[in-house]
């Protein structure tokens, strides 16, 4: 038996080294857009609603193209970049995969 243990942050427990890798694969989050398409890192999305960006004093209009999204591990949030706005996080329910 192996004496290696790994701390699993999701459960807060120490688990045997091989069990942690299996548990991480089982918890893969699937992110879906407003119409049910599965999103992946690097996808392009289009906004389906005008969104006011808090702290930026700017409104993103419906139909705005967002390039190269990144998944955050949350099923409802995606991380993306847009000119003039740093650290933009959008809800998946307001975008459609292009």
């Amino acid at each position: 038996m192996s004496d290696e243990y790994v701390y699993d942050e999701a459960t807060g427990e120490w688990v045997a080294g091989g069990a942690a890798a299996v548990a991480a694969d089982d918890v893969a989050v699937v992110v879906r857009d407003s119409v049910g398409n599965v999103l992946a890192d690097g996808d392009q999305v289009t906004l389906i609603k005008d969104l006011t960006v808090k702290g930026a004093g700017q409104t993103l209009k419906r139909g705005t193209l967002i390039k190269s999204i990144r998944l955050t591990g949350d099923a409802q949030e995606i991380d993306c970049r847009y000119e003039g706005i740093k650290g933009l996080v959008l809800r998946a329910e307001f975008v459609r995969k292009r």
Side-chain angles (χ1 to χ4, degrees), residues 4-57:
E4 295 181 23
Y5 286 91
V6 177
Y7 184 73
D8 184 14
E9 294 178 7
T11 62
E13 299 176 355
W14 288 93
V15 294
V22 173
D25 291 338
D26 292 341
V27 196
V29 176
V30 176
V31 180
R32 295 187 182 272
D33 67 358
S34 62
V35 293
N37 297 325
V38 177
L39 297 174
D41 285 341
D43 282 347
Q44 294 183 355
V45 295
T46 305
L47 295 179
I48 62 166
K49 179 181 177 181
D50 290 350
L51 298 175
T52 303
V53 182
K54 293 180 181 178

Side-chain angles (χ1 to χ4, degrees), residues 34-98:
S34 62
V35 293
N37 297 325
V38 177
L39 297 174
D41 285 341
D43 282 347
Q44 294 183 355
V45 295
T46 305
L47 295 179
I48 62 166
K49 179 181 177 181
D50 290 350
L51 298 175
T52 303
V53 182
K54 293 180 181 178
Q58 189 174 1
T59 300
L60 296 176
K61 300 291 183 185
R62 179 177 166 217
T64 301
L65 178 67
I66 305 291
K67 299 178 182 178
S68 187
I69 66 167
R70 286 174 282 150
L71 303 180
T72 62
D74 185 355
Q76 289 299 317
E77 295 181 350
I78 56 173
D79 188 26
C80 53
R81 289 186 184 178
Y82 188 74
E83 55 191 51
I85 303 173
K86 277 189 168 184
L88 180 62
V89 177
L90 296 174
R91 301 273 304 176
E93 64 191 81
F94 298 123
V95 298
R96 182 180 64 219
K97 188 174 180 178
R98 184 155 193 211

